[in-house]
């Protein structure tokens, strides 16, 4: 099995330190390259001025700038970004907003580690594919 997608760089953006660290541990334990972690959209934007990431895992509800706004900014400024939105909010309008702002997948919190790994694997090993 070709696992070259595991070399792709991932950024996790979540204002919950616990969620951010938990996701980073799950990914690192499964051989993924977590290149950056940010606690806010503003921090993520600042980090992106200096590094490139291939995939973004973004919480929707964050103080100041929402994850939806961040996804839109990333989509406009990054070449072919893969974006997974995560949230405990599951209203259809929220999910549609995520899609419209560039997300290729949506994962409901709380989630099983396998759900996250499967989503990332599918997005990084296939180009231009939306999972939902």
């Amino acid at each position: 099995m070709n696992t070259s997608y595991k070399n792709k760089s991932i950024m996790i953006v979540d204002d919950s330190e616990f969620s951010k660290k938990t996701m980073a541990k799950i990914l690192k334990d499964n051989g993924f390259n977590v290149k950056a972690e940010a606690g806010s959209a503003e921090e993520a934007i600042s980090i992106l001025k200096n590094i490139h990431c291939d995939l973004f895992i973004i919480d929707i509800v964050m103080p100041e700038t929402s994850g939806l706004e961040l996804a839109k900014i990333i989509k406009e400024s990054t070449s072919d970004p893969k974006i997974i939105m995560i949230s405990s909010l599951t209203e259809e309008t929220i999910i549609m907003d995520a899609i419209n702002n560039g997300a290729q997948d949506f994962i409901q919190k709380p989630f099983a580690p396998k759900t996250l790994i499967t989503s990332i694997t599918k997005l990084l090993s296939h180009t231009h594919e939306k999972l939902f």
Side-chain angles (χ1 to χ4, degrees):
M1 182 173 147
N2 180 359
T3 58
S4 62
Y5 60 85
K6 287 195 174 185
N7 295 327
K8 301 283 187 177
S9 57
I10 299 172
M11 176 185 281
I12 300 169
V13 185
D14 195 320
D15 60 315
S16 163
E17 190 69 18
F18 177 77
S19 291
K20 188 172 52 177
K21 295 298 181 194
T22 300
M23 284 187 279
K25 180 171 179 10
I26 291 167
L27 298 183
K28 289 174 183 175
D29 287 352
N30 282 276
F32 289 96
N33 174 21
V34 177
K35 192 167 189 177
E37 298 174 31
S40 68
E42 291 75 20
E43 184 181 358
I45 292 165
S46 177
I47 291 169
L48 285 172
K49 291 177 183 174
N50 300 309
I51 66 169
H52 167 81
C53 289
D54 300 294
L55 183 136
F56 301 85
I57 303 167
I58 306 171
D59 185 24
I60 290 179
V61 179
M62 292 190 291
E64 297 181 45
T65 305
S66 76
L68 295 171
E69 281 299 312
L70 176 60
K72 188 175 182 181
I73 292 166
I74 289 170
K75 186 178 176 189
E76 291 170 354
S77 62
T78 305
S79 174
D80 191 30
K82 308 288 189 242
I83 300 172
I84 299 170
M85 301 299 295
I86 58 169
S87 182
S88 55
L89 303 175
T90 58
E91 291 85 15
E92 189 174 325
T93 55
I94 297 285
I95 296 170
M96 291 307 297
D97 283 347
I99 294 168
N100 292 334
N101 284 297
Q104 286 91 9
D105 202 0
F106 179 90
I107 298 175
Q108 181 181 355
K109 286 182 179 180
F111 53 83
K114 184 177 180 181
T115 302
L116 183 62
I117 297 301
T118 300
S119 177
I120 292 168
T121 301
K122 285 181 181 176
L123 282 177
L124 290 179
S125 59
H126 299 95
T127 55
H128 307 295
E129 181 177 333
K130 286 194 177 190
L131 300 179
F132 63 103

